């Protein structure tokens, strides 16, 4: 049974493997091959260990665990940028969401997203943003099924000299059946997706 819990320091290697393999799988044909091939779990884990040890981080990491092993990861927190078109509304952001390749479509990503939504609502966030690669159709469908809609804002990140467009998605953070339990069971009904 897959369960969602807060990430701890012993999860860093597994989360880095999920993230790197997730990028290499989900973004093949979207990002330059040279960029994806240069990614390593070791480099990602070194950066993640350093980042994870920062004492005043505002973002939260959750992992989906199956048989004691992380199989998915989500990071969320306060929006990283000003959102002038949503004044006086505490806005959160999904910074990353990845499921181990081969396990997508089993509800793991949706379970992580639902738990992040419940926790954000309990922290009085009223809107949630995320950025998704414009050409990542699977992730876009996943987020749209979860109630997100493209809000017209775009940006481009550059990978090995190639500008890759991203779309900003938004949804309200409303009450759901759960109230933000940090250890929950994941259902197996929805597909998984990836934020950047």
């Amino acid at each position: 049974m897959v369960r969602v819990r807060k990430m701890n320091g012993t999860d860093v290697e597994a989360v880095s493997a999920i993230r790197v393999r997730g990028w290499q799988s989900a973004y093949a044909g979207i990002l330059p091959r040279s960029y994806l091939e240069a990614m390593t779990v070791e480099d990602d884990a070194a950066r993640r260990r350093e980042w994870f040890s920062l004492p005043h981080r505002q973002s939260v990491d959750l992992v989906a665990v199956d048989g004691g092993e992380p199989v998915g990861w989500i990071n969320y927190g306060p929006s990283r940028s000003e959102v002038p078109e949503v004044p006086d509304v505490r806005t959160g952001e999904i910074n990353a969401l990845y499921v181990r390749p081969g396990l997508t479509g089993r509800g793991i990503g949706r379970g992580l997203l639902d738990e992040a939504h419940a926790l954000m609502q309990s922290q009085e966030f009223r809107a949630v943003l995320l950025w998704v690669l414009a050409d990542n159709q699977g992730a876009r469908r996943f987020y749209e099924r979860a109630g997100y809609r493209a809000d017209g804002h775009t940006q481009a990140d550059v990978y090995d000299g190639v500008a890759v467009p991203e779309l900003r998605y938004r949804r309200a953070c409303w009450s759901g059946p759960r109230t933000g339990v940090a250890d929950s069971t994941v259902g197996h009904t929805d597909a998984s997706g990836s934020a950047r």
Side-chain angles (χ1 to χ4, degrees):
M1 179 179 297
V2 178
R3 300 191 70 76
V4 175
R5 64 165 169 78
K6 287 200 173 181
M7 180 181 165
N8 61 54
T10 63
D11 298 322
V12 167
E13 289 287 335
V15 165
S16 288
I18 290 166
R19 181 180 176 276
V20 169
R21 302 297 179 248
W23 273 61
Q24 291 169 335
S25 173
Y27 304 152
I30 299 173
L31 298 183
R33 175 190 267 175
S34 58
Y35 185 87
L36 295 174
E37 289 177 351
M39 295 179 76
T40 69
V41 172
E42 296 77 18
D43 288 345
D44 189 85
R47 285 190 303 276
R48 195 153 311 286
R49 259 189 233 87
E50 183 178 318
W51 177 83
F52 196 74
S53 68
L54 295 174
H56 300 294
R57 303 187 277 123
Q58 293 187 16
S59 64
V60 175
D61 293 279
L62 304 173
V63 289
V65 179
D66 188 9
E69 181 180 356
V71 293
W73 164 70
I74 191 168
N75 175 274
Y76 75 88
S79 177
R80 295 175 288 182
S81 58
E82 294 293 321
V83 189
E85 66 276 13
V86 189
D88 302 322
V89 173
R90 187 156 191 243
T91 303
E93 183 171 354
I94 302 295
N95 302 313
L97 170 57
Y98 295 94
V99 171
R100 183 188 298 162
L103 297 179
T104 58
R106 298 182 184 190
I108 297 167
R110 185 58 188 259
L112 285 163
L113 191 60
D114 287 348
E115 186 63 24
H117 289 159
L119 290 167
M120 282 190 279
Q121 189 209 347
S122 74
Q123 297 165 9
E124 300 185 355
F125 289 103
R126 295 295 173 248
V128 186
L129 306 174
L130 61 83
W131 290 92
V132 63
L133 298 177
D135 289 340
N136 190 345
Q137 296 300 322
R140 290 178 62 183
R141 284 189 299 272
F142 168 75
Y143 290 118
E144 288 165 4
R145 282 193 302 271
Y148 285 86
R149 297 292 175 256
D151 68 5
H153 290 272
T154 62
Q155 66 182 21
D157 284 339
V158 178
Y159 300 90
D160 281 355
V162 177
V164 180
E166 295 179 283
L167 307 175
R168 191 173 78 181
Y169 274 54
R170 178 189 316 191
R171 71 165 254 176
C173 191
W174 59 81
S175 297
R178 295 183 302 136
T179 58
V181 179
D183 186 17
S184 61
T185 302
V186 174
H188 295 279
T189 56
D190 295 310
S192 174
S194 301
R196 63 186 179 108

